[in-house]
Amino acid sequence: MRHVYFATFFLAVLTVSVLGFRGTRSTRPPIELFPDMDHQAHLKPQAGSTFFDDGRADRPIPPGTVAASAPLDDDDGLYHGMDADGTPLKAFPATVTVDAKLLARGQNRFTIYCAPCHGALGDGQGITKQYGMTTTPSYFDPRRVKLTVGELFGTITNGSPKTPEGKQNMLPYADKLSVEDRWAVVAYVRALQRTQVGTLNDVTDAAQKEALLKSK
Amino acid sequence: MSKLFPKSANRLPLQLVLYLFVLGGIASAGINYYATNKWANVGYAPVQPVPYSHQLHAGQLGIDCRYCHSNVEKSGFANLPTAQTCMNCHSLVKADSPLLAVVRESYATGAPVPWVQIHMTPDYVYFNHSVHVTRGVSCVECHGAIDTMDVVAQAKPLTMSFCLDCHRAPEEHLRDLTKPEQAVTKLGWVHPGGEAGQHDQGVKLVQDLKIMPPQSCSGCHR
């Protein structure tokens, strides 16, 4: 009987040494003991497919498709930041109300999508500057202060203007920010600019103005 | 008459029964230890086509998770970033790095970067990122400290009991999304009041926001 126990013990040690402990790192795909219905025959987002030639489940959108969920983007002002004749808007489109809620949303989105390069203050001193992205400009230089809201919207939607060599230093963010979010970010960028180039006359609240004058 | 069996054979049935108990114990301990995701899935860290590091990008550079996983708040599926997302920076930083050749190729041709999927729920389970993330469940609850990982490895078992442990007591995990420092993507945040503080905040959030994670089978198996 002793031998049987020895054999069992040996088997147990063998199993542990082959299978290892829990949670150890491994580059091998997980073992599926019972792969019941784990993998069903339907296509998943960003996954592969053997059905289509290019091997992916996500299908490219055929040209000319109009999304059923989104309204037709025929409002040039809202969707493209432009007048009907193609000049960038100078004021926010009528359907966008600039209020504290919009600015809060703008701040939230700006911190995620713009701050890594433009910095939390908009001074162009984001973290990537230390790693060699020296071309990121400040929003406060005289040319950028003069950008209209339509031009700011256009920069987010289509990226920065092409350099003479045809290279874009800032790529578009339209895939990450919805149209509403883009206007929110534009409003926030404007607010950031005001922190540097604003004057006393921009303060509309009389009591605030008084307080500011006193603190001077 | 000579004896067919030695005297010790009298004890054999008892010994056998005892042995079966011991064997059963070892076997069930072994199955308990090995036959769950805790052994099978935790620690899975496949070799990726690009040696992309979350420790560098999310930890050191402090890029928000949503910069890359940009649909995590909007859809059930947390997307992997497009090649353009990488090129936003890598057309200017390390623009010629051989490590990024696959990404540049993908950006130029539109061919996908063949990232290997790590976290997986079986297809009979319905999982949705946006319902969790927009209710204040942080990525760290289900993915561990991604921002310290050079190579992403599965940190949590993602078994049914793992999901249900939280669904039965969400207050121990919920964050207050009105406070920027508690954003779900700030993985390192813990309640300054310790466990008691977290509990009180959680109970309040559950009440105010009427948070009711499903516990019935049809919630997750639809």
Side-chain angles (χ1 to χ4, degrees):
Chain A
M1 208 58 212
R2 227 172 50 229
H3 302 293
V4 181
Y5 277 105
F6 275 136
T8 316
F9 179 71
F10 176 71
L11 263 179
V13 172
L14 191 74
T15 320
V16 173
S17 52
V18 170
L19 296 182
F21 292 114
R22 264 180 188 176
T24 39
R25 288 172 79 98
S26 152
T27 53
R28 273 168 293 133
I31 297 169
E32 283 171 333
L33 291 173
F34 305 107
D36 305 326
M37 287 172 71
D38 283 8
H39 305 284
Q40 298 168 15
H42 63 84
L43 301 181
K44 274 162 266 170
Q46 291 193 328
S49 151
T50 48
F51 183 78
F52 296 104
D53 267 350
D54 62 359
R56 18 177 174 169
D58 290 348
R59 305 316 305 150
I61 300 167
T65 310
V66 177
S69 56
L72 280 173
D73 59 351
D74 55 0
D75 181 346
D76 287 323
L78 184 62
Y79 290 97
H80 304 288
M82 285 189 246
D83 285 345
D85 55 6
T87 42
L89 289 189
K90 295 208 171 51
F92 284 89
T95 42
V96 177
T97 25
V98 182
D99 51 11
K101 197 163 146 255
L102 190 80
L103 281 175
R105 178 72 183 166
Q107 179 180 33
N108 175 300
R109 296 291 108 172
F110 181 91
T111 314
I112 299 172
Y113 296 108
C114 318
C117 299
H118 289 283
L121 304 175
D123 53 4
Q125 303 295 329
I127 177 90
T128 50
K129 190 141 266 181
Q130 299 163 25
Y131 292 86
M133 281 191 66
T134 47
T135 49
T136 319
S138 154
Y139 292 146
F140 314 135
D141 65 27
R143 186 174 80 73
R144 264 117 198 164
V145 167
K146 287 209 198 74
L147 291 173
T148 64
V149 286
E151 283 167 329
L152 289 175
F153 184 88
T155 306
I156 306 178
T157 313
N158 306 317
S160 64
K162 288 215 167 81
T163 58
E165 304 87 65
K167 191 168 179 255
Q168 254 185 326
N169 283 334
M170 179 181 143
L171 299 178
Y173 280 77
D175 59 330
K176 297 185 168 42
L177 290 165
S178 70
V179 170
E180 289 74 22
D181 283 350
R182 272 175 252 164
W183 283 115
V185 171
V186 169
Y188 187 68
V189 170
R190 266 281 178 273
L192 284 177
Q193 290 179 331
R194 286 281 177 85
T195 62
Q196 296 300 312
V197 300
T199 59
L200 206 54
N201 294 333
D202 293 335
V203 184
T204 47
D205 187 285
Q208 289 282 340
K209 201 164 180 171
E210 196 65 23
L212 274 173
L213 275 174
K214 272 211 192 100
S215 70
K216 269 242 168 118
Chain B
M1 214 168 114
S2 64
K3 280 190 279 179
L4 211 50
F5 295 104
K7 185 113 189 203
S8 63
N10 284 348
R11 296 205 311 271
L12 198 62
L14 191 70
Q15 275 180 332
L16 272 182
V17 168
L18 202 68
Y19 175 69
L20 281 182
F21 269 108
V22 171
L23 194 68
I26 294 177
S28 48
I31 288 173
N32 202 349
Y33 193 80
Y34 283 119
T36 70
N37 285 2
K38 282 191 189 143
W39 176 71
N41 295 40
V42 173
Y44 176 41
V47 181
Q48 300 287 356
V50 180
Y52 167 79
S53 160
H54 278 82
Q55 195 270 327
L56 172 69
H57 291 84
Q60 203 174 318
L61 298 178
I63 311 176
D64 194 285
C65 313
R66 290 166 289 184
Y67 184 91
C68 291
H69 304 293
S70 49
N71 285 337
V72 73
E73 295 172 310
K74 295 174 226 152
S75 90
F77 180 78
N79 63 306
L80 292 193
T82 56
Q84 191 213 305
T85 308
C86 310
M87 293 308 279
N88 284 338
C89 291
H90 287 294
S91 59
L92 299 164
V93 182
K94 298 257 176 196
D96 308 311
S97 167
L99 302 180
L100 283 156
V102 184
V103 174
R104 285 195 299 271
E105 159 98 18
S106 164
Y107 182 59
T109 64
V113 179
W115 300 113
V116 185
Q117 186 175 10
I118 304 155
H119 301 78
M120 261 177 271
T121 48
D123 285 355
Y124 52 78
V125 176
Y126 171 78
F127 179 75
N128 189 320
H129 271 94
S130 64
V131 284
H132 290 94
V133 173
T134 53
R135 294 297 243 172
V137 182
S138 166
C139 317
V140 74
E141 305 286 350
C142 305
H143 294 300
I146 294 275
D147 57 351
T148 60
M149 295 182 196
D150 234 353
V151 179
V152 179
Q154 183 164 338
K156 301 285 164 82
L158 301 181
T159 51
M160 184 160 138
S161 69
F162 169 81
C163 307
L164 280 171
D165 281 347
C166 176
H167 280 203
R168 292 194 176 117
E171 60 275 4
E172 311 301 339
H173 308 274
L174 291 179
R175 293 189 180 186
D176 186 351
L177 294 183
T178 55
K179 308 215 171 91
E181 74 275 13
Q182 299 198 20
V184 288
T185 51
K186 297 244 176 350
L187 301 191
W189 185 85
V190 283
H191 200 285
E195 267 176 39
Q198 171 65 48
H199 182 83
D200 293 345
Q201 160 173 327
V203 169
K204 198 163 167 304
L205 285 171
V206 167
Q207 264 170 12
D208 293 353
L209 302 175
K210 302 198 175 49
I211 287 177
M212 283 191 295
Q215 293 176 31
S216 66
C217 318
S218 59
C220 305
H221 305 292
R222 351 186 129 182

